[in-house]
Amino acid sequence: MQSFSFAAQSPDAPDGFGTYHDLYAHGSDVALTGEGFYARFQAHRFPRMVVFDRHLNGLVHSRGAARVRRDGFDHVNLHLLLAGRLSGGVPGDEVRVAPGEILLFDTTRPQSSRADHAHVVTVALARDPVEGSLRGLRGFHGTVLPEASGGLVADLMVSLARRASAMNPRAAAGAARALTTVLAAVLDDRAGLGFDPDTEAQLVLLRRERAEAFIATRLSDSTLDAETIARGVGVSRSVLYRSFSEDGGVANVLRLRRLESLRACLRRPSETRSIAALAFACGFGSESHCNRAFHAAFGRPPGQFRADLQRARASRAGIADARSQLAAWLCELY
């Protein structure tokens, strides 16, 4: 088990806020609130998971839209508040978290959190193991899991933080799988609360799920459009549009799914196909259209995205400083 620690009690100390800011610079913008500052944490690397035991005061962490596009993070963060004050959520719509509750963030979406005299256990968890057991994970971004439903997840998070340094690799891998399984079950249960097939909202959700499944199986077809999808799931185009209206319509969702598919391909070290071949495999009509869309969504063209990842992987063997180590651990989650 790999671990490292950090501690700072004063913003002006040599290893104070500036060092803390640099540690998180790869994935978060950090600012002082003016209410005093201290930060202590231990980080532990598990298979497809990083666990932090943190004591924080006077800090705001944020990920704006530009940063989300730029860094390409694609994992889930769980923040369990054990003591003190923590608030967070979608910027402009933050909520207060009570001790014992868990705040869930999707790193592909903007987010903000504030910690004051807070003891927080944070788990950065790879997305794909959870999504393998649960559909609609992105819909939980900014959700607070109350202690009544998330208590077992919280117990596992605390146990992982306390026992990480004594775990052997096999036990660590099993613990990571256990947390993923329990989290997926808890979220799936919450998604099913209040199920009523006669309500319009539930009907919209069911249509959306059928359409998403139809899109996933035919994503490589560059001729796929709203009319084809509507016909495939047995609804009118107007009904289909209402199902995707909050996401900018069917065409926008189709474009995003293709971009997400392409980005996932580029992240695989074993993927050797050219950008052009991948663009067509993901359903884009041309490489130029793919390049423009990818650049607009993620802040750089796909070729540069792939090159940056390759450079990051090549540098991991020589990691020496904590900031690079932490960034490498988080990059391994996607």
Side-chain angles (χ1 to χ4, degrees):
M1 178 66 62
Q2 291 181 279
S3 304
F4 72 84
S5 302
F6 172 85
Q9 298 293 333
S10 167
D12 300 321
D15 291 328
F17 174 71
T19 302
Y20 181 85
H21 176 279
D22 290 346
L23 279 171
Y24 278 85
H26 187 67
S28 182
D29 296 314
V30 186
L32 294 169
T33 67
E35 300 298 324
F37 161 78
Y38 63 75
R40 304 189 306 276
F41 71 81
Q42 285 189 312
H44 309 279
R45 177 193 184 195
F46 287 73
R48 309 303 308 282
M49 184 170 75
V50 181
V51 177
F52 301 83
D53 189 354
R54 305 190 295 168
H55 295 262
L56 308 171
N57 183 55
L59 288 167
V60 172
H61 294 75
S62 60
R63 287 174 53 77
R67 172 174 283 279
V68 167
R69 290 194 302 270
R70 184 172 66 249
D71 62 34
F73 275 10
D74 189 15
H75 60 271
V76 178
N77 282 335
L78 304 175
H79 301 293
L80 166 63
L81 180 64
L82 297 179
R85 300 188 302 278
L86 176 69
S87 60
V90 178
D93 194 26
E94 291 87 349
V95 296
R96 187 75 171 266
V97 181
E101 294 182 337
I102 300 170
L103 176 62
L104 187 153
F105 279 146
D106 181 332
T107 58
T108 67
R109 302 178 63 183
Q111 58 199 251
S112 176
S113 64
R114 172 171 174 159
D116 294 289
H117 300 292
H119 182 190
V120 182
V121 172
T122 294
V123 173
L125 187 63
R127 175 189 305 280
D128 53 300
V130 183
E131 285 194 330
S133 305
L134 171 74
R135 290 178 296 178
L137 177 59
R138 297 179 194 276
F140 287 97
H141 175 61
T143 294
V144 174
L145 296 179
E147 189 172 6
S149 60
L152 183 54
V153 177
D155 290 346
L156 285 171
M157 292 173 66
V158 171
S159 184
L160 288 171
R162 289 177 177 172
R163 303 177 188 278
S165 59
M167 285 188 181
N168 60 45
R170 185 174 179 180
R177 289 194 299 270
L179 179 62
T180 298
T181 300
V182 173
L183 175 64
V186 168
L187 295 180
D188 190 53
D189 183 63
R190 284 185 61 80
L193 292 177
F195 180 83
D196 180 358
D198 295 325
T199 66
E200 178 61 24
Q202 190 61 47
L203 287 173
V204 170
L205 178 60
L206 291 174
R207 291 169 185 147
R208 169 75 181 245
E209 289 182 350
R210 289 202 303 270
E212 289 272 15
F214 187 89
I215 290 171
T217 60
R218 294 161 177 81
L219 197 60
S220 61
D221 182 359
S222 62
T223 66
L224 185 64
D225 57 14
E227 183 175 351
T228 305
I229 297 168
R231 187 168 58 250
V233 298
V235 299
S236 67
R237 290 186 62 178
S238 60
V239 168
L240 181 69
Y241 183 82
R242 286 198 298 273
S243 300
F244 290 93
S245 59
E246 293 185 357
D247 296 294
V250 182
N252 187 54
V253 169
L254 186 56
R255 178 181 60 85
L256 291 175
R257 295 297 175 269
R258 285 175 171 148
L259 288 169
E260 290 166 357
S261 178
L262 174 59
R263 185 169 64 170
C265 289
L266 294 172
R267 283 174 171 153
R268 298 187 194 114
S270 60
E271 180 58 75
T272 59
R273 285 177 290 177
S274 67
I275 300 299
L278 289 173
F280 289 117
C282 293
F284 288 97
S286 69
E287 182 180 3
S288 59
H289 174 223
C290 170
N291 287 338
R292 290 193 300 271
F294 196 96
H295 190 281
F298 304 123
R300 48 190 162 168
Q304 183 183 341
F305 182 86
R306 168 182 266 177
D308 290 346
L309 284 179
Q310 290 172 340
R311 282 193 292 271
R313 293 188 187 106
S315 67
R316 285 178 189 171
I319 288 171
D321 62 276
R323 173 183 169 181
S324 295
Q325 185 177 27
L326 180 58
W329 289 1
L330 294 175
C331 287
E332 290 174 352
L333 299 180
Y334 53 82

